[in-house]
């Protein structure tokens, strides 16, 4: 592992001794972390003093519920040490999902699911290794000031010659929003600003199934739009928002002039299920050049190939701005695909989506009147 990943101090704060032991073992074996401190957190004040004394580069914080003292510790850490990234350790339960989503909205950078039984911890080593190594590698690229800047759009103007290379665009009939690390925080911002929309919206976030169900219910509370977790044979309706369920691939299909959702347990793609690439590939197959892809904060490559297919078909791509994204690896890779792709602050994405859909409809109506 490169030297820049070794010189870091990590705090593991969790009331469960087995969780602390397992995470400590995995961190030492897989990441070469220079300093590792595991705490039980008997008193929040004492833990805060330890954080002040050691100034860790990363905190792994176990939170069983939003009523726990660790949840109040999270609030204190984010308020007192906003530059220290916090990753939540939450159980794969509705209670754990609510704790994770609430913590992410407060400013935690990510969550890591942990077993809620002692027996499960024994077999969790592989899961921890798979999740922890990418998190450690992402640390140098994390933007801990994300979403604190002004609402400024950073756009690029494509040349006429380049524009002519793209196929003729038609009215957008589907919006697909994808993201990974940091994407959940932006989702709340984007969806809260979309009070009305004339097409179906698909959301794919890399989360386990229980968490996607809670995410859909939580998003439904902040918008007049109807947000729900996608189900097998759900009909895609204008103005409806569908969250792809965790653990399954979500694909779109056309059936008797109706566009529908298919859920299946196919093989993982680039280690992911659900996969943004899989969803976008099927979206282009059904909607051709009438797809708008929107990419939020995240790392990895899932979504890059799907974005290429959207562009080649003649659809549109928007990405979250580097200034507002917690991790710009994925949006940055997407934007590099074509000079026509603009980046927007998280505060602007929702309104930009609506604006583009209205502009398309107005242009189409005007063209019909003229002709």
């Amino acid at each position: 592992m490169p030297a820049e990943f070794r010189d870091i101090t990590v705090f593991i704060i969790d009331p469960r001794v087995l969780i602390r032991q397992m995470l400590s073992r995995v961190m030492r074996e897989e990441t070469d972390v220079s300093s590792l401190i595991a705490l039980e957190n008997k008193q929040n004040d004492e833990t805060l003093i330890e954080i002040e004394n050691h100034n860790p580069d990363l905190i792994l914080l176990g939170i069983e519920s939003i009523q726990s003292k660790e949840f109040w510790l999270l609030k204190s850490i984010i308020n007192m040490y906003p530059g220290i990234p916090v990753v939540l350790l939450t159980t794969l339960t509705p209670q754990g999902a609510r704790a994770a989503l609430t913590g992410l909205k407060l400013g935690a950078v990510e969550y890591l699911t942990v077993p809620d039984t002692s027996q499960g911890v024994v077999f969790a080593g592989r899961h921890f290794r798979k999740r922890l190594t990418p998190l450690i590698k992402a640390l140098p690229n994390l933007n801990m000031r994300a979403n604190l800047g002004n609402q400024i759009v950073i756009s690029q103007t494509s040349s006429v010659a380049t524009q002519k290379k793209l196929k003729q665009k038609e009215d957008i009939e589907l919006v697909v929003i994808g993201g990974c690390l940091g994407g959940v925080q932006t989702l709340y911002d984007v969806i809260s600003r979309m009070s009305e929309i004339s097409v179906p919206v698909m959301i794919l976030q890399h989360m386990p199934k229980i968490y996607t169900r809670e995410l859909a219910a939580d998003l439904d509370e902040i918008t007049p739009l109807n947000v729900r977790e996608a189900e097998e044979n759900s009909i895609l309706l204008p103005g409806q928002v569908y969250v792809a369920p965790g653990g399954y691939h979500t694909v779109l299909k056309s059936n008797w002039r109706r566009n529908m959702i298919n859920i299946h347990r196919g093989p993982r793609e680039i280690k992911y299920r659900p996969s943004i690439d899989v969803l976008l590939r099927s979206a282009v197959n059904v909607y051709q050049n009438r797809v708008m892809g929107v990419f939020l904060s995240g790392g990895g490559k899932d979504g890059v190939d799907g974005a290429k297919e959207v562009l080649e078909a003649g659809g549109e791509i928007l990405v979250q701005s580097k200034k507002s994204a917690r991790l710009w690896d994925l949006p940055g890779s997407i934007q590099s695909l074509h000079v026509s792709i603009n980046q927007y602050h998280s505060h602007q994405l929702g309104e930009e989506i609506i604006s583009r859909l209205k502009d398309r409809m107005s242009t189409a109506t005007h063209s019909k009147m003229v002709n």
Side-chain angles (χ1 to χ4, degrees):
M1 184 171 291
E4 62 264 30
F5 300 133
R6 296 181 181 179
D7 251 354
I8 63 173
T9 298
V10 177
F11 264 37
I12 301 174
I13 306 171
D14 196 289
R16 297 156 292 189
V17 63
L18 284 176
I19 293 293
R20 298 198 304 272
Q21 290 175 346
M22 176 63 78
L23 286 171
S24 297
R25 186 180 308 121
V26 171
M27 294 285 280
R28 290 193 178 97
E29 292 173 354
E30 298 294 319
T31 64
D32 290 333
V33 169
S34 59
S35 179
L36 190 60
I37 299 170
L39 300 174
E40 183 181 354
N41 186 40
K42 294 182 178 180
Q43 296 294 332
N44 285 353
D45 290 345
E46 294 177 4
T47 301
L48 288 170
I49 291 173
E50 290 293 321
I51 293 172
E52 175 71 27
N53 291 337
H54 291 88
N55 189 30
D57 300 284
L58 174 67
I59 296 175
L60 304 180
L61 176 60
I63 294 182
E64 295 184 351
S65 73
I66 57 177
Q67 285 80 35
S68 66
K69 70 175 183 291
E70 283 76 23
F71 188 78
W72 294 102
L73 175 62
L74 170 67
K75 290 183 176 181
S76 298
I77 294 172
I78 290 173
N79 182 53
M80 297 170 64
Y81 311 104
I84 301 178
V86 180
V87 173
L88 306 177
L89 308 173
T90 54
T91 56
L92 196 57
T93 62
Q95 186 180 46
R98 286 189 288 273
L101 292 172
T102 306
L104 290 173
K105 285 187 284 186
L106 286 174
V109 301
E110 184 60 294
Y111 66 90
L112 173 66
T113 57
V114 298
D116 57 353
T117 64
S118 299
Q119 184 178 6
V121 175
V122 177
F123 301 98
R126 184 172 175 230
H127 168 67
F128 290 155
R129 288 181 177 88
K130 183 175 68 174
R131 293 296 309 278
L132 281 171
T133 302
L135 280 171
I136 297 298
K137 289 184 177 180
L139 282 178
N141 297 325
L142 287 182
N143 175 14
M144 294 309 297
R145 295 183 60 83
N147 300 320
L148 299 180
N150 296 323
Q151 300 179 24
I152 300 173
V153 60
I154 309 172
S155 61
Q156 293 173 288
T157 303
S158 57
S159 66
V160 174
T162 303
Q163 288 177 343
K164 288 182 178 179
K165 291 180 182 179
L166 297 177
K167 295 181 180 180
Q168 180 63 39
K169 294 182 184 294
E170 297 182 7
D171 292 343
I172 294 298
E173 294 184 5
L174 175 74
V175 174
V176 177
I177 304 175
C180 193
L181 192 155
V184 171
Q185 295 95 321
T186 306
L187 260 180
Y188 284 98
D189 200 350
V190 171
I191 298 302
S192 68
R193 296 169 190 271
M194 295 171 63
S195 58
E196 59 178 279
I197 192 165
S198 57
V199 302
V201 177
M202 292 293 310
I203 293 173
L204 194 150
Q205 186 73 34
H206 293 145
M207 306 178 82
K209 182 167 177 58
I210 295 174
Y211 282 47
T212 53
R213 187 181 306 132
E214 291 294 328
L215 175 63
D218 212 21
L219 289 173
D220 191 56
E221 295 293 324
I222 63 172
T223 175
L225 303 176
N226 180 27
V227 185
R228 60 190 176 94
E229 189 177 48
E231 297 178 352
E232 176 69 9
N233 292 327
S234 294
I235 299 173
L236 287 161
L237 300 173
Q240 305 291 301
V241 181
Y242 306 86
V243 176
Y248 295 83
H249 285 309
T250 296
V251 299
L252 310 184
K253 59 183 180 179
S254 183
N255 185 8
W256 294 96
R257 297 185 179 180
R258 295 188 302 181
N259 296 327
M260 307 177 70
I261 294 173
N262 175 233
I263 309 296
H264 68 84
R265 292 273 296 180
R268 296 175 183 274
E269 190 152 328
I270 320 182
K271 301 180 180 179
Y272 291 110
R273 188 178 58 221
S275 162
I276 303 172
D277 283 334
V278 169
L279 173 57
L280 283 174
R281 192 181 306 132
S282 69
V284 170
N285 185 53
V286 172
Y287 289 93
Q288 287 84 46
N289 60 342
R290 301 183 298 278
V291 177
M292 177 189 291
V294 182
F295 291 88
L296 311 182
S297 172
K301 296 296 182 184
D302 183 34
V304 176
D305 287 342
K308 289 179 183 176
E309 295 205 26
V310 171
L311 289 171
E312 289 170 0
E316 286 193 38
I317 297 292
L318 311 179
V319 301
Q320 183 176 359
S321 70
K322 187 173 184 178
K323 186 174 185 178
S324 67
R326 182 72 74 188
L327 182 62
W328 205 62
D329 291 1
L330 177 60
S333 296
I334 300 294
Q335 191 181 38
S336 68
L337 295 175
H338 203 279
V339 294
S340 67
I341 299 175
N342 295 336
Q343 53 173 298
Y344 298 87
H345 195 282
S346 60
H347 299 329
Q348 291 182 307
L349 270 172
E351 295 166 357
E352 181 65 21
I353 293 168
I354 299 297
S355 175
R356 290 197 179 209
L357 291 174
K358 288 182 177 179
D359 288 346
R360 285 295 187 81
M361 293 176 64
S362 299
T363 302
T365 302
H366 178 70
S367 298
K368 290 178 182 178
M369 292 175 62
V370 171
N371 294 329

